[in-house]
């Protein structure tokens, strides 16, 4: 790349190619100091650690810049298909280390900073992660864009630059308190604002027909609009020189404020429009597994999708591009239903603005979208009331109606006049109020629909989207999720990475199936010893991290049993608590000899959606149980419960490498995939889990001997429901269960107050939607097997190594290959 473009410079430097600074310690130090002086405006001696962090980030950017220019320029000229990943969430995690690693600068930067008298670890520690997502779905998007860059697939990630990401969680008296996540407070060195490239995004108003040279057309006359300002982030591939783009949109008022009103003295009123507009990208909705049916949420969805589609057509495609060829140049992948409003938006652009015929536009649109479904919970399927959608996006509602009319005709043609079927399949639902079913719209419009693990995809076909799968069997496919081995093994677990590289060479980082080579080493006593030493070192590292955060450090010699994921009833943190309480009750009642109890630390990490009362009660219970159990002298320190607040990607990167046991205990048929399960197995934790989500595939791959399976299968769950599930029967019939629940109900963990956890206990006894009581006995038996297995450390370590060796399938690189082959029909461009 160079600086010329359409300008006619004469200066020789302007004609020279843009080059990266010298990839040497001196070159890096020089650039770093320059950035400290001229970008941060401080000298080295007057700089604080945040100045140093920002200057270091600028320096890493400088090294990536030339490649980024290059890849962006190619996007316009190349004929290759671009993957546009549309996601309302990106849970990115810290950027510095990842970008240093991708650019091969880690050692150079460490040494250059050391020579400036700076400890790079201290600098690393000040980075605030951009928490622009809730959990698995957002983290998945981040893993995918990492893999796509590493595989040289032309990609643009599109999303929202929330000013406040997922809340910071704190505990007060054991209860969750939410605090705003002001992640931009100390500067955001990784993104580049481009106000000149803003898109105007409209809302509300009405539609009208008009005569366009003899053709009747419809146009939308909106009522108000906002600017979508793009912020570009670099997404560097690992060691391949490629830099893709993540483009996040920020909402800005079109008229910053009303000068007339301002001059008349009403300052507050004059900035009202600005506040209103900018609210759109103000905050991430902290919902996980249930949608927020708020108008602002729909505004967010339309805002980012409309801006992204316009950006792709106006700025990424060449000026004279024939839109009939759009499906050869782009696939818009819908990460769940949040971006589905993009379907009528592309239709509106093609029909109303570009004046294509409806049928031609629909043929294009159907090829340009594909939809990933992320749930099985009926309450998580997003719907928008027709009232709200029609008010906010009147033209889009008309388009949706027309899509639905044509679709229902097709249903009639294929299945006859089966009115019940028509009602069930209609994109418009009638009960309890008229609404647009976004998953149905996505299914009708998408070229493909995929679930995120084998079992999940099967249940989508068999239950959630059954009629659609009957109609279009070929539309449905599966792509099992994956995780990036760069962040979650190479960066998070440097010691294990070094051990693997020593054993297998470095290629595993981009070809994770090579980990299979470790299988043979599982029987090598020397290798096992070194593997165990790494795990022990990772526990000490985690312990230091916890201590530095003001949390309780780990005890030596404990098994580290982790349950880290969003707090949700279907994930069944309660079942884990019942296990802890049952063991505790056994010890204090004398039925268990404390000397026979395996020392365990139970580590939880979980945020609850702020409006999810039951989840918050469960948090309270975990903390209350933890306080009593950890402190009770009769337990002799054998059981510890830790719940560090504010579980996020940064903390995950410390916990996962240290874990011995991974709790994946959702009710079968409820967890779509899980990705935490993959990260933990990849780092040598053994799983105790149900046959749910990707656990099924993990178990098949690592083998039954290296996985602790328990609980009902999905068909067994269905059978028990059909028969009539009465949780109190299980309570009556199982002494351990009864004693554990009674202990909670007695107020033993709430200072004698029986009312505190009463709603939770009642819920378990008389509702228990997720059947914790039905799986309790099987879970406890599996935990006994865990204890027995852990007692034989040699065998345990062997099983842990086999978990690592057989987890290569769960690389997000493999997931991307599956998407490329089965859905996108696109290819890497070297
Ligand atoms: N939250 C964070 C911070 C994560 O890193 C992950 C990892 O995948 C998740 C949530 C998802 O966890 P799970 O797949 O166990 O639901």
């Amino acid at each position: 790349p160079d600086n010329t473009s359409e300008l006619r410079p004469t200066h020789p430097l302007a004609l020279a190619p843009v080059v990266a600074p010298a990839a040497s310690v001196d070159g890096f130090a020089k650039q770093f100091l320059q950035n400290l002086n001229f970008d941060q405006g401080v000298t080295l001696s007057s700089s604080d650690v945040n100045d140093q962090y920002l200057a270091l980030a600028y320096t890493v950017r400088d090294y990536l810049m030339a490649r980024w220019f290059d890849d962006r320029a190619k996007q316009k000229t190349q004929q290759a298909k671009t993957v546009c990943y549309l996601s309302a969430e990106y849970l990115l995690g810290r950027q510095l280390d990842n970008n240093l690693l991708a650019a091969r600068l880690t050692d150079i930067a460490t040494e250059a900073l050391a020579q400036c008298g700076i400890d790079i670890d201290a600098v690393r520690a000040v980075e605030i992660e951009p928490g622009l997502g809730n959990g698995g779905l957002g983290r998945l998007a981040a893993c995918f864009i990492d893999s796509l860059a590493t595989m040289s697939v032309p990609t643009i990630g599109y999303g929202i630059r929330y000013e406040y990401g997922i809340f910071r969680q704190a505990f007060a008296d054991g209860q969750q308190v939410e605090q705003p996540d002001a992640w931009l407070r100390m500067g955001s060195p990784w993104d580049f604002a481009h106000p000149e490239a803003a898109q105007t995004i409209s809302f509300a108003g009405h539609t009208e027909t008009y005569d366009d040279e003899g053709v009747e057309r419809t146009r939308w006359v909106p009522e108000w609009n906002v600017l979508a300002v793009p912020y570009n982030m670099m997404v560097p591939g690992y060691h391949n020189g490629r830099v893709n783009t993540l483009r996040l949109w920020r909402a800005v008022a079109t008229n910053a404020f009303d000068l007339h009103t301002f001059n008349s003295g009403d300052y507050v009123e004059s900035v009202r429009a600005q506040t209103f507009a900018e609210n759109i990208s103000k905050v991430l909705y902290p919902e996980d597994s249930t949608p927020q049916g708020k108008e602002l949420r729909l505004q967010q969805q339309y805002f980012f999708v409309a801006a992204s589609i316009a950006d792709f057509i106006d700025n990424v495609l060449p000026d004279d591009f024939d839109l009939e060829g759009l499906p050869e140049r782009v696939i818009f992948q819908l990460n769940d239903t949040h971006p589905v409003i993009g379907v009528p938006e592309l239709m509106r652009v093609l029909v109303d603005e570009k004046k294509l015929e409806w049928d031609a536009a629909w043929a294009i649109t159907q090829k340009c979208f594909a939809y990933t479904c992320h749930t099985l919970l009926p309450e998580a399927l997003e719907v928008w009331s027709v009232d709200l959608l029609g008010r906010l996006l009147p033209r889009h509602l008309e388009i949706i109606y027309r899509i639905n009319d044509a679709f229902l005709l097709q249903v009639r043609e294929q299945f006859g006049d089966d009115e019940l079927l028509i009602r069930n399949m209609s994109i418009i639902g009638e009960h309890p109020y008229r609404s647009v079913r976004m998953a149905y719209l996505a299914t009708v419009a998408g070229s493909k629909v995929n679930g995120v693990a084998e079992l999940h995809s099967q249940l989508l076909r068999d239950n959630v989207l059954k009629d659609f799968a009957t109609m279009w069997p070929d539309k449905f496919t599966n792509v099992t999720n994956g995780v990036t081995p760069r962040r979650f093994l190479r960066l998070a677990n440097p010691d294990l990475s070094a051990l693997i590289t020593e054993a297998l060479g470095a290629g595993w980082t981009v070809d994770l199936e090579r980990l299979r080579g470790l299988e043979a080493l599982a029987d090598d006593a020397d290798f096992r010893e070194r593997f165990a030493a790494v795990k022990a070192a990772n526990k000490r590292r985690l312990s230091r991290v916890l201590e530095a955060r003001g949390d309780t450090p780990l005890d030596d010699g404990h098994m580290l049993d982790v349950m880290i994921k969003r707090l949700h009833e279907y994930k069944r943190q309660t079942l884990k608590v019942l296990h802890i309480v049952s063991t505790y009750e056994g010890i204090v009642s004398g039925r268990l000899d404390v000397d026979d109890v395996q020392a365990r630390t139970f580590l939880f990490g979980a945020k609850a959606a702020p409006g999810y009362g039951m989840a918050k009660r469960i948090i309270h219970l975990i903390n209350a149980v933890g306080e009593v159990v950890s402190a009770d002298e009769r337990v002799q320190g054998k059981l510890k419960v830790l719940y560090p607040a504010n579980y996020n990607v940064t903390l995950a990167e410390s916990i996962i490498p240290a874990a011995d046991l991974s709790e994946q205990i959702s009710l079968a048929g409820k967890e779509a995939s899980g990705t935490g399960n993959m990260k933990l197995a990849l780092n040598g934790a053994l799983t105790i889990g149900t046959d749910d989500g990707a656990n099924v595939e993990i178990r098949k791959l690592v083998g039954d001997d290296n996985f602790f399976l328990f609980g009902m299968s999905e068909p067994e769950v269905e059978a028990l429901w059909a028969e009539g599930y009465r949780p109190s029967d299980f309570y009556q019939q199982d002494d351990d269960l009864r004693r554990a629940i009674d202990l909670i109900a007695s107020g033993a963990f709430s200072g004698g107050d029986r009312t505190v956890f009463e709603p939770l206990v009642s819920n378990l006894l008389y509702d228990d939607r997720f059947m914790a009581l039905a799986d309790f006995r099987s879970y406890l038996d599996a935990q006994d097997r865990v204890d027995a297995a852990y007692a034989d450390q040699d065998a345990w370590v062997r099983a842990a190594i086999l978990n690592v060796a057989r987890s290569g399938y769960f690389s997000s690189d493999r997931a991307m290959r599956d998407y490329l082959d089965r859905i996108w029909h696109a290819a890497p461009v070297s």
Side-chain angles (χ1 to χ4, degrees):
D2 58 36
N3 281 312
T4 57
S5 71
E6 281 127 40
L7 306 170
R8 298 224 172 75
T10 53
H11 197 289
L13 280 179
L15 296 166
V18 177
V19 289
S24 63
V25 172
D26 285 350
F28 196 98
K30 185 173 162 211
Q31 193 76 14
F32 169 72
L33 290 168
Q34 213 167 3
N35 289 336
L36 201 55
N37 296 157
F38 298 110
D39 283 325
Q40 273 313 100
V42 292
T43 62
L44 178 58
S45 60
S46 67
S47 65
D48 71 8
V49 67
N50 196 59
D51 293 320
Q52 294 158 8
Y53 161 67
L54 292 171
L56 177 55
Y58 298 144
T59 308
V60 179
R61 280 179 3 182
D62 294 342
Y63 281 85
L64 294 167
M65 195 62 75
R67 308 305 297 249
W68 200 26
F69 290 148
D70 210 18
D71 287 326
R72 282 204 317 234
K74 278 189 199 138
Q75 237 168 19
K76 256 206 179 326
T77 53
Q78 78 199 353
Q79 293 306 309
K81 197 166 182 176
T82 298
V83 175
C84 288
Y85 200 75
L86 299 179
S87 179
E89 301 189 8
Y90 290 89
L91 193 50
L92 293 168
R94 285 179 175 166
Q95 297 296 290
L96 176 63
D97 258 348
N98 186 64
N99 293 0
L100 280 169
L101 175 74
R104 301 180 198 258
L105 289 169
T106 311
D107 293 343
I108 287 174
T110 306
E111 181 55 27
L113 264 70
Q115 290 186 11
C116 296
I118 298 168
D119 172 9
I120 198 170
D121 284 338
V123 177
R124 275 191 182 108
V126 302
E127 179 171 359
I128 303 173
E129 69 169 76
L132 311 183
N134 275 290
L137 175 147
R139 184 52 236 175
L140 186 78
C143 284
F144 282 5
I145 58 175
D146 175 84
S147 283
L148 288 164
T150 297
M151 294 161 70
S152 299
V153 177
T155 304
I156 306 173
Y158 282 113
I160 302 174
R161 186 178 184 267
Y162 301 103
E163 192 178 330
Y164 293 90
I166 183 73
F167 63 86
R168 284 184 63 81
Q169 179 193 52
F171 295 132
D173 296 329
Q175 303 193 59
Q176 173 173 296
V177 185
E178 301 93 23
Q179 297 162 347
D181 162 56
W183 70 286
L184 295 165
R185 187 181 68 239
M186 301 300 275
S188 64
W190 302 106
D191 60 12
F192 293 81
H194 285 282
E196 79 293 348
Q199 298 284 347
T200 302
I201 306 301
S202 302
F203 293 93
H206 63 274
T207 65
E208 62 190 22
T209 52
Y210 69 103
D211 181 78
D212 181 26
E213 294 172 5
V215 182
E216 190 187 79
R217 294 192 186 281
T218 305
R219 67 181 161 215
W220 175 21
V221 185
E223 192 177 309
W224 55 276
N225 54 32
V226 298
L227 287 179
V229 175
Y231 282 67
N232 293 336
M233 293 180 81
M234 294 169 164
V235 184
Y238 173 80
H239 291 192
N240 67 346
R242 172 131 202 147
V243 184
N244 279 338
T245 300
L246 173 61
R247 185 160 298 144
L248 302 179
W249 300 98
R250 176 183 170 209
V252 174
T254 30
N255 295 315
F257 53 86
D258 179 341
L259 251 181
H260 177 72
T261 319
F262 184 59
N263 288 337
S264 74
D266 193 346
Y267 175 73
V268 172
E269 183 56 25
S270 73
V271 294
R272 194 189 57 79
Q274 183 175 5
T275 310
F276 177 77
E278 298 185 355
N279 267 344
I280 291 182
S281 59
K282 186 67 79 184
V283 63
L284 169 85
Y285 275 98
E287 293 290 326
D288 188 66
S289 298
T290 45
Q292 254 292 355
K294 292 265 167 70
E295 180 163 355
L296 181 60
R297 172 85 162 174
L298 183 57
Q299 288 174 9
Q300 291 185 333
Q301 297 182 351
Y302 179 66
F303 164 79
F304 98 88
V305 171
S308 305
I309 290 174
D311 176 67
F312 189 80
I313 293 177
D314 297 349
N315 302 329
V316 182
L317 292 176
D319 292 341
D320 55 354
F321 188 81
D322 176 1
L323 288 169
E324 300 275 352
L326 198 60
E328 281 78 62
R329 283 299 309 273
V330 69
I331 180 80
F332 292 108
Q333 185 66 38
L334 304 167
N335 194 26
D336 216 289
T337 53
H338 317 140
V340 170
I341 197 69
V343 169
E345 170 63 5
L346 182 60
M347 284 300 289
R348 188 191 66 80
V349 170
L350 294 177
V351 173
D352 295 359
E353 291 184 2
K354 308 291 180 185
K355 305 192 172 176
L356 267 66
E357 292 297 325
W358 176 275
D359 289 346
W362 182 237
I364 294 169
T365 298
Q366 277 192 301
K367 290 190 203 119
C368 285
F369 286 96
Y371 162 51
T372 305
C373 178
H374 281 272
T375 189
L376 287 164
L377 303 177
E379 69 267 32
L381 289 173
E382 197 174 31
V383 296
W384 287 108
S385 85
V386 160
D387 272 358
L388 170 57
L389 206 143
R391 201 161 13 91
L392 198 65
L393 300 166
R395 179 62 181 138
H396 298 77
L397 183 60
E398 288 175 4
I399 292 171
I400 292 168
Y401 278 140
R402 185 157 170 194
I403 292 171
N404 195 39
D405 286 347
F407 163 64
L408 293 180
L409 265 183
Q410 228 181 318
V411 176
R412 282 185 198 281
E413 267 167 33
Q414 199 167 331
F415 301 102
D417 293 332
D418 178 345
E419 299 306 324
L420 185 61
L421 183 74
I422 301 275
R423 216 177 318 145
N424 286 342
M425 292 183 82
S426 175
I427 294 169
I428 307 297
E430 300 294 341
H431 297 288
Y433 51 87
R434 286 207 101 199
S435 58
V436 180
R437 299 155 153 171
M438 300 308 268
Y440 290 9
L441 177 57
T443 303
V444 171
S447 55
K448 291 280 177 186
V449 176
N450 76 289
V452 289
E454 291 284 355
L455 175 65
H456 175 234
S457 295
Q458 184 207 316
L459 294 172
L460 282 185
R461 282 188 300 253
D462 294 351
N463 303 333
V464 184
L465 298 171
K466 183 167 184 280
D467 298 328
F468 297 88
T470 309
M471 185 163 178
W472 295 306
D474 295 341
K475 201 181 259 219
F476 287 77
T477 187
N478 172 61
V479 178
T480 298
N481 282 167
V483 303
T484 171
R486 270 73 64 185
R487 181 176 291 271
F488 289 101
L489 187 50
R490 178 67 188 73
L491 281 175
N493 201 338
D495 292 349
L496 182 57
S497 296
L499 186 62
I500 295 170
T501 300
E502 190 188 315
L504 305 177
W508 61 268
T509 326
V510 289
D511 181 6
L512 205 61
E513 284 289 358
R514 289 198 198 181
L515 294 180
R516 283 269 174 198
L518 296 176
E519 277 191 25
L521 291 163
D523 293 318
D524 175 335
D526 179 50
F527 187 82
R528 281 202 303 273
E529 199 174 309
R530 296 181 66 193
F531 186 96
V534 166
K535 188 60 87 182
N538 288 340
K539 287 185 183 176
R540 290 193 295 275
R541 186 160 58 94
L542 170 61
S543 194
R544 287 194 298 273
V545 167
L546 293 172
E547 214 166 2
R549 290 167 41 108
D551 289 308
T552 315
L554 301 179
D555 289 352
D556 287 340
H558 276 223
M559 179 204 300
L560 183 61
D561 176 348
V562 310
M563 183 152 189
I564 44 176
K565 50 185 73 248
R566 282 299 287 254
L567 203 311
H568 204 292
E569 286 165 281
Y570 85 82
K571 289 177 181 280
R572 301 200 295 190
Q573 276 90 355
T574 325
L575 184 55
K576 176 78 255 159
V577 175
L578 288 173
H579 167 230
I580 298 169
V581 171
S582 176
T583 312
Y584 170 71
E585 195 279 334
I587 293 171
V588 297
S589 68
R591 273 177 297 101
L592 270 178
D593 183 344
V594 73
D595 292 336
D596 297 336
V597 172
Q598 167 63 48
R600 282 204 206 202
T601 293
F602 304 97
L603 191 154
F604 291 86
K607 292 179 185 177
Y612 186 177
M614 187 55 78
K616 291 178 124 176
R617 275 189 207 104
I618 297 169
I619 289 182
H620 189 191
L621 177 65
I622 297 169
N623 280 322
V625 167
E627 202 174 320
V628 170
V629 170
S630 302
D632 193 320
E633 283 175 3
R634 292 168 292 182
V635 176
Q636 296 177 19
K638 284 289 191 74
L639 307 178
K640 288 283 168 73
V641 181
L642 302 186
Y643 195 162
N646 202 40
Y647 177 61
N648 60 8
V649 178
T650 305
L651 188 56
E653 288 170 21
S654 293
I655 294 172
I656 290 168
D660 294 308
L661 187 67
S662 160
E663 300 271 352
Q664 307 299 337
I665 61 178
S666 52
L667 176 64
K670 300 298 175 197
E671 184 73 89
S673 165
T675 47
N677 48 3
M678 301 169 183
K679 292 167 191 173
L680 284 154
L682 180 61
N683 281 273
L686 273 61
T687 305
I688 181 165
T690 48
D691 241 344
D692 199 18
N695 294 354
V696 177
E697 288 151 84
I698 293 175
R699 182 170 67 83
K700 273 191 198 141
L701 278 162
V702 306
D704 281 316
D705 295 345
N706 307 303
F707 186 110
F708 302 95
L709 176 68
F710 77 96
M712 293 176 285
S713 65
E714 193 275 333
E716 285 166 349
V717 169
E718 288 304 316
L720 183 54
W721 269 127
E723 176 184 312
Y725 174 52
R726 284 207 309 274
S728 51
D729 289 354
F730 289 85
Y731 166 84
Q732 297 295 349
Q733 286 156 19
D734 190 313
D735 292 344
D736 289 329
L737 178 59
R738 201 176 57 252
R739 285 190 283 250
I741 291 182
D742 286 351
L743 195 60
I744 296 170
S746 74
F749 305 108
S750 38
D753 185 344
R754 293 162 156 269
T755 60
V756 177
F757 298 119
E758 193 281 328
L760 210 151
V761 169
S762 294
N763 183 273
L764 278 180
L765 290 179
Y766 305 112
D767 186 11
D768 193 22
R769 233 189 107 198
F770 299 103
M771 298 177 143
L773 303 201
D775 272 346
F776 174 82
R777 180 45 53 193
S778 168
Y779 182 53
L780 249 62
D781 291 346
Q783 290 289 6
D784 287 344
R785 284 185 273 130
V786 169
D787 281 340
Y790 198 76
D792 181 351
Q793 270 298 297
D794 239 16
W796 182 277
V797 174
R798 184 176 176 281
I801 295 169
L802 290 176
N803 266 267
V804 180
R806 296 170 181 172
S807 289
Y809 178 76
F810 299 107
S811 168
S812 44
D813 301 347
R814 186 274 313 149
M816 292 302 88
R817 275 194 300 279
D818 288 350
Y819 274 94
L820 288 167
D821 294 346
R822 297 173 196 170
I823 298 175
W824 298 334
H825 309 298
V829 176
S830 63

